[in-house]
Amino acid sequence: MRRTVLERFPAGGPRGSWPAEEFARARRDEGTPAEVVMDLDSDVFLVVVPQQATGSPS
């Protein structure tokens, strides 16, 4: 599954994943299917949405 990153939040922050969760919830409240995932390699929380499939017009 391909995803688009909307925002990045440092994992080492004093509030942990909460800023990312709050950002994702605000996007979901707007109708965007955002979710939070952890990028272990870069030690950040990512707010992502599924990438829309682009099809050729018929």
Side-chain angles (χ1 to χ4, degrees):
M1 172 191 284
R2 298 191 66 153
R3 299 177 186 171
T4 300
V5 176
L6 296 180
E7 192 66 57
R8 299 170 192 273
F9 295 87
R15 296 181 57 216
S17 69
W18 289 112
E21 294 289 350
E22 291 168 354
F23 184 86
R25 173 170 287 194
R27 301 298 73 78
R28 288 191 298 269
D29 289 347
E30 296 170 349
T32 302
E35 64 179 316
V36 177
V37 297
M38 177 72 180
D39 180 354
L40 295 174
D41 292 335
S42 59
D43 196 32
V44 295
F45 291 104
L46 305 174
V47 178
V48 299
V49 293
Q51 189 173 35
Q52 299 296 323
T54 56
S56 58
S58 302

